[in-house]
């Protein structure tokens, strides 16, 4: 959701028996990075479609594996910067995504404006990083241009 900085991502690979191995992610681009990852090593195509529908509702869309890798790389990049532990499931099964070393680190500031995706100042990024692990801290970070739109 663009309103929360959170993104559900699902990827699946067909096995020889036509069942799937599926990876499910919860990516937090406003705070922690890779917030959750779990694997289902034996799921039917119908079950996978149903889980995807339940995860995303009406806002679901298909993206390429390369675009999915960029999203995961951005989440890992944030996790490493703020000290979020990487889940065992991701560490164990990341090979499914292929070689992530060729996916470039995201350019610009660690976090982006919640309204327009512009770069944020170092000060805003540093404050967010400082409080990223606090469960009771919630952020809606905007750039200077968008912040001006809130002024009367």
């Amino acid at each position: 959701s663009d309103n929360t900085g959170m993104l559900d991502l699902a990827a699946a690979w067909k096995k020889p028996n036509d069942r799937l191995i599926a990876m499910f992610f919860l990516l937090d681009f406003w705070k922690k990075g890779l917030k959750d990852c779990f694997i289902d090593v034996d799921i039917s195509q119908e079950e996978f479609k149903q889980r995807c529908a339940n995860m995303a509702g009406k806002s679901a869309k298909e993206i390429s594996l390369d675009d999915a890798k960029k999203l995961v790389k951005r989440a890992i990049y944030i996790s490493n910067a703020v000290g979020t532990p990487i889940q065992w499931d991701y560490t164990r099964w990341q090979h499914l995504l292929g070689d992530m070393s060729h996916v470039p680190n995201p350019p610009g500031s660690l976090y982006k404006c919640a309204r327009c995706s512009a770069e944020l100042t170092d000060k805003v990024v540093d404050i967010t990083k400082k409080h990223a692990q606090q469960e009771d801290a919630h952020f809606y970070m905007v750039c200077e241009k968008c912040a001006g739109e809130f002024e009367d």
Side-chain angles (χ1 to χ4, degrees):
S1 166
D2 291 335
N3 298 327
T4 66
M6 301 287 238
L7 178 74
D8 289 316
L9 177 66
W13 295 263
K14 191 181 285 191
K15 300 183 338 180
N17 65 358
D18 282 339
R19 291 187 61 85
L20 306 174
I21 295 176
M23 293 181 85
F24 299 92
F25 299 90
L26 179 57
L27 308 176
D28 180 356
F29 296 122
W30 288 4
K31 199 170 167 185
K32 291 186 174 190
L34 180 59
K35 190 163 183 165
D36 200 6
C37 175
F38 69 93
I39 308 300
D40 192 328
V41 296
D42 190 42
I43 184 173
S44 72
Q45 292 182 35
E46 187 57 41
E47 288 171 307
F48 178 75
K49 288 177 186 175
Q50 184 61 45
R51 284 191 192 172
C52 290
N54 290 342
M55 284 171 52
K58 295 179 182 176
S59 64
K61 67 177 183 177
E62 283 191 37
I63 62 171
S64 70
L65 182 58
D66 285 340
D67 287 342
K69 286 180 175 184
K70 289 175 188 173
L71 292 170
V72 171
K73 180 78 169 218
R74 181 175 168 207
I76 295 288
Y77 189 74
I78 292 169
S79 291
N80 289 334
V82 301
T84 302
I86 305 300
Q87 289 80 15
W88 180 88
D89 278 3
Y90 176 77
T91 303
R92 166 64 179 87
W93 293 96
Q94 66 183 339
H95 68 276
L96 292 173
L97 292 171
D99 186 3
M100 293 287 283
S101 68
H102 297 292
V103 180
N105 285 331
S109 61
L110 185 64
Y111 300 107
K112 309 296 183 204
C113 175
R115 294 187 78 190
C116 73
S117 298
E119 305 301 323
L120 295 174
T121 65
D122 290 343
K123 182 178 179 179
V124 171
V125 170
D126 289 343
I127 290 169
T128 306
K129 284 172 60 177
K130 181 179 175 182
H131 300 286
Q133 298 305 324
Q134 295 176 351
E135 289 299 323
D136 60 346
H138 303 281
F139 301 103
Y140 186 80
M141 305 158 295
V142 293
C143 65
E144 291 177 4
K145 176 186 169 281
C146 290
E149 294 175 11
F150 292 110
E151 296 174 0
D152 290 32

